[in-house]
Amino acid sequence: MTKEKNKVQKVIEKAADKATDSIEAIMSATTKAGSVVNRVAALDKAGVDHEVTALLMTKNSARGNKYEKEEIPTLVKLYEDCKTRVPISAKSARAIVKDQEKNGSQQKQEEEKIVGNASPSLSV
């Protein structure tokens, strides 16, 4: 009976994986990112080495991104924070983006100063 139960379980898992993959193909990037963060946290909880998780993500990156094992704890922290509330609210993000678009970044302004100045002074 256990052998039959294992076969049925494998068929169910295969069907669920196929359905999930199909649904994810049409999901927004936001939804996909949440799913990945959830999976990373599950892998971490199961004790999967962070190097393995990073390698899996690197090998499956559609854009050729390289993920490092040192980045995995950040995703796990994000997952843990999101259990309670989001660490960046929509309102805060909108306000910062609006300000950024209006005023530009400090880094960009500093780069423009350096480009426009033949002998930039270094500040420490």
Side-chain angles (χ1 to χ4, degrees), residues 22-96:
S22 297
I23 292 167
E24 284 181 346
I26 59 171
M27 285 180 171
S28 70
T30 302
T31 303
K32 289 177 188 175
S35 294
V36 170
V37 170
N38 182 38
R39 292 174 190 153
V40 167
L43 291 168
D44 179 72
K45 186 175 180 180
V48 175
D49 189 283
H50 291 169
E51 192 168 1
V52 172
T53 303
L55 179 61
L56 179 63
M57 292 172 66
T58 297
K59 293 290 184 183
N60 288 305
S61 173
R63 298 194 178 260
N65 289 323
K66 181 165 177 23
Y67 294 90
E68 304 291 339
K69 68 180 183 179
E70 295 82 11
E71 296 170 313
I72 302 305
T74 301
L75 297 174
V76 174
K77 284 193 303 186
L78 178 60
Y79 176 81
E80 291 298 323
D81 267 349
C82 289
K83 285 182 178 179
T84 309
R85 66 180 189 158
V86 295
I88 301 175
S89 70
K91 181 180 178 182
S92 295
R94 269 193 310 276
I96 292 169

Side-chain angles (χ1 to χ4, degrees), residues 6 14 42 59 62 70 82 90 100 108 120:
N6 286 340
K14 187 175 180 178
K59 293 290 184 183
E70 295 82 11
C82 289
Q100 184 74 13
K108 185 177 178 183

Side-chain angles (χ1 to χ4, degrees), residues 5-16:
K5 189 175 181 181
N6 286 340
K7 276 186 175 182
V8 169
Q9 184 66 31
K10 285 183 181 181
V11 169
I12 291 170
E13 287 174 359
K14 187 175 180 178

